[in-house]
Amino acid sequence: MKSNQILGIASLLALGSLPFLAACSDDSSESSPTRPIFSETSSSSAKKTTVKTTFELGSCTYENMGDRVYVSDESDYYTCTYSNASYDYTWVGEKVKSSSSITVSSSSSDICDIFYCWDETESSSSVNSSSSTKSSSSVSTFTNVSEVWNGKMVKPSTDYIDGKTYMLIYTAEELAYFADQVTNKGEEKLNAKLMKHIRLNPDNMVDEKGNLLKTQSSLNEWTPIGGGTNKIMFKGTFDGNGYTISGIYVNKPAFERAGFIGTLGGTSTSDSGHVMFLGIENSYIVGGEQVGGLVGRMNFSEVQQVFNRKSYVKGTKYVGGIVGYKNNGWLYYSYNSGMVVSSEDRASGIAGYNANASTSVIVSYNVGFLIAPNKGTTAGISTTANSSKDCFYIDQDDREIVANGAAEKTEYFMTSEDFVSTLNGLSFSNIWTTDDDEVNDDYPVFKWEKIRY
């Protein structure tokens, strides 16, 4: 494995057409549901190109969906987008906004964030620099990343999309307001859609061994949506829209269910929750039982096209890079490169435990480092027998990692184009691509992932 692998490692699907098919009628049922039929409306990662006029935008199709083109003589950019109203692909123009940007200072010509480094003289189509010369005070501005959370809450604006009302989340304060409405106000079926990368704490909060690089007193602690217990359950839709939430800091060893979301979904398919096109990154999540980088416990719900990378996830039992405890529902198209640790039992790259193996973890992979004390309870994908389908995990030297239906592969293969082709062949469409933007240590990423610009 690579030295930094321990923690190394959407355009919106038409939500109205995305079916959630019931897994079972109760928590203990083992009947197998019909696999969902997927819509083919995922986007590719944004490409930073520039044209002189809008007449040069070119065609907008599935192949270049999500591509962003800047018009050099205007302050606009255009994104190839699928329209749920016209059922067609079209260029959608937006104004470049800087009011909520963040700045990163550098003492040299190279400017870095947690994703990649670039030269400060790079064109303004990708980075708006305050100076084109090399100096100790050079500053770069990002326009699609929120400021670090100030600990307060701000009510977001809303939009009606495909028959549902969504809170549009541009800032960490708006995300906190949404979480508070679900957890403390009982609004369990609210829907949210990210409009920027959200930072709850400063970048590079943890190192590759899971050590905090900031003092605990300086960090904003996140309460899992739902409160981390079985009292409140999130039953709405959370659409990541291709963006990430970074800097999640949860340090609650007594919490039964810890993650960005504590409990997703209720006790039946009518109370299902949905999470899609979302990334969790550079986060520190510690709880008791049922701990996941994204969801502590998942009931009768759907989680698809999500990832967790450069994060540290730890619990006592049932710990997973994506979901701690999966109880019915669908978990498909995901990857984890974060470190997963269980102090007592069961640590897995994707799902710490899958209580209903008939609803498998599908087309997912793990390259994150896994630790559990008991032999046979550290699994590449899930610690439940035969609970994964078309999934892969990286070999971890001489450590025993249980397969449970997944296939063990080498780093050489999993960083190759052949692995991307394999994943796309197993998925409903070509949703995977190579790590050209160098955000995931050369392991495959989703085409819809939005990079910072």
Side-chain angles (χ1 to χ4, degrees):
M1 294 190 294
K2 295 183 176 181
S3 62
N4 64 346
Q5 180 195 329
I6 291 179
L7 276 180
I9 323 254
S11 154
L12 177 65
L13 278 173
L15 290 177
S17 64
L18 181 66
F20 174 78
L21 298 183
C24 300
S25 60
D26 57 66
D27 285 356
S28 60
S29 174
E30 295 291 333
S31 61
S32 177
T34 304
R35 184 172 177 173
I37 300 174
F38 305 107
S39 169
E40 297 193 7
T41 56
S42 63
S43 69
S44 63
S45 57
K47 296 180 180 178
K48 303 171 186 175
T49 57
T50 303
V51 297
K52 292 184 178 180
T53 70
T54 56
F55 297 102
E56 300 175 69
L57 288 173
S59 62
C60 174
T61 66
Y62 170 77
E63 294 298 325
N64 64 328
M65 188 177 176
D67 285 3
R68 179 170 290 113
V69 178
Y70 291 78
V71 181
S72 59
D73 59 354
E74 301 178 25
S75 61
D76 296 339
Y77 63 82
Y78 290 78
T79 306
C80 180
T81 305
Y82 182 82
S83 171
N84 297 321
S86 63
Y87 299 102
D88 200 2
Y89 300 91
T90 183
W91 291 102
V92 176
E94 297 185 55
K95 292 287 184 183
V96 175
K97 301 177 181 178
S98 59
S99 59
S100 299
S101 60
I102 66 168
T103 59
V104 178
S105 298
S106 175
S107 58
S108 67
S109 62
D110 288 331
I111 299 173
C112 303
D113 70 353
I114 63 173
F115 295 100
Y116 55 85
C117 296
W118 63 92
D119 190 271
E120 68 175 287
T121 59
E122 189 173 312
S123 78
S124 61
S125 66
S126 59
V127 177
N128 296 320
S129 178
S130 63
S131 171
S132 61
T133 61
K134 298 179 180 181
S135 70
S136 60
S137 60
S138 60
V139 175
S140 287
T141 300
F142 297 88
T143 60
N144 70 340
V145 186
S146 79
E147 298 281 0
V148 172
W149 185 24
N150 63 17
K152 299 180 180 179
M153 295 184 291
V154 175
K155 185 176 181 179
S157 61
T158 60
D159 194 7
Y160 194 71
I161 305 172
D162 296 316
K164 293 182 179 180
T165 299
Y166 285 80
M167 287 187 174
L168 304 182
I169 309 298
Y170 288 89
T171 69
E173 293 74 37
E174 291 174 339
L175 179 62
Y177 179 93
F178 168 80
D180 180 69
Q181 292 296 298
V182 176
T183 304
N184 299 317
K185 303 299 189 296
E187 299 289 339
E188 296 180 316
K189 293 191 176 183
L190 286 181
N191 306 309
K193 181 178 181 180
L194 292 189
M195 308 303 290
K196 283 189 175 184
H197 297 291
I198 302 299
R199 298 193 308 158
L200 296 174
N201 280 293
D203 296 337
N204 300 319
M205 183 180 67
V206 294
D207 66 14
E208 62 183 17
K209 296 182 180 180
N211 299 312
L212 285 172
L213 301 178
K214 309 289 182 181
T215 60
Q216 295 185 31
S217 60
S218 70
L219 296 174
N220 296 306
E221 188 159 10
W222 179 257
T223 297
I225 296 176
T229 70
N230 61 358
K231 304 296 183 182
I232 302 294
M233 305 173 186
F234 176 53
K235 304 169 185 176
T237 295
F238 196 100
D239 175 22
N241 196 25
Y243 293 105
T244 60
I245 299 174
S246 64
I248 301 171
Y249 174 62
V250 177
N251 193 359
K252 298 183 180 296
F255 266 35
E256 181 182 341
R257 306 171 186 197
F260 170 63
I261 299 170
T263 304
L264 179 68
T267 58
S268 67
T269 55
S270 62
D271 286 333
S272 60
H274 304 255
V275 179
M276 60 199 71
F277 309 120
L278 176 63
I280 302 298
E281 194 157 31
N282 188 40
S283 294
Y284 181 94
I285 298 170
V286 175
E289 292 189 10
Q290 305 181 57
V291 181
L294 178 61
V295 177
R297 182 185 176 97
M298 169 183 167
N299 297 320
F300 296 99
S301 295
E302 182 180 58
V303 175
Q304 63 120 329
Q305 299 194 58
V306 297
F307 63 84
N308 174 37
R309 65 186 178 214
K310 298 180 174 70
S311 298
Y312 177 75
V313 182
K314 180 181 178 181
T316 59
K317 190 176 182 180
Y318 308 132
V319 189
I322 302 296
V323 174
Y325 191 102
K326 177 181 173 294
N327 184 35
N328 293 301
W330 289 100
L331 173 53
Y332 49 93
Y333 311 143
S334 66
Y335 70 83
N336 173 67
S337 64
M339 185 175 184
V340 181
V341 179
S342 170
S343 61
E344 295 180 7
D345 192 18
R346 297 183 186 271
S348 300
I350 302 298
Y353 184 73
N354 187 357
N356 192 329
S358 63
T359 55
S360 301
V361 179
I362 301 171
V363 193
S364 299
Y365 77 83
N366 173 69
V367 294
F369 196 72
L370 310 173
I371 299 175
N374 298 326
K375 181 179 179 181
T377 60
T378 307
I381 301 296
S382 170
T383 59
T384 309
N386 301 316
S387 59
S388 62
K389 181 179 180 182
D390 299 330
C391 292
F392 306 88
Y393 63 96
I394 198 167
D395 64 278
Q396 299 196 359
D397 301 326
D398 297 329
R399 301 180 66 251
E400 181 177 347
I401 305 296
V402 180
N404 286 337
E408 183 181 73
K409 298 295 182 180
T410 64
E411 176 189 333
Y412 178 81
F413 174 75
M414 295 183 79
T415 55
S416 70
E417 292 187 6
D418 288 342
F419 187 43
V420 174
S421 298
T422 298
L423 292 173
N424 280 327
L426 296 170
S427 303
F428 75 95
S429 186
N430 292 329
I431 60 174
W432 303 89
T433 188
T434 53
D435 183 26
D436 296 335
D437 294 309
E438 299 181 354
V439 297
N440 197 37
D441 294 334
D442 295 330
Y443 296 104
V445 296
F446 293 112
K447 289 183 177 179
W448 49 255
E449 292 183 35
K450 293 180 172 69
I451 62 172
R452 296 186 179 197
Y453 62 82

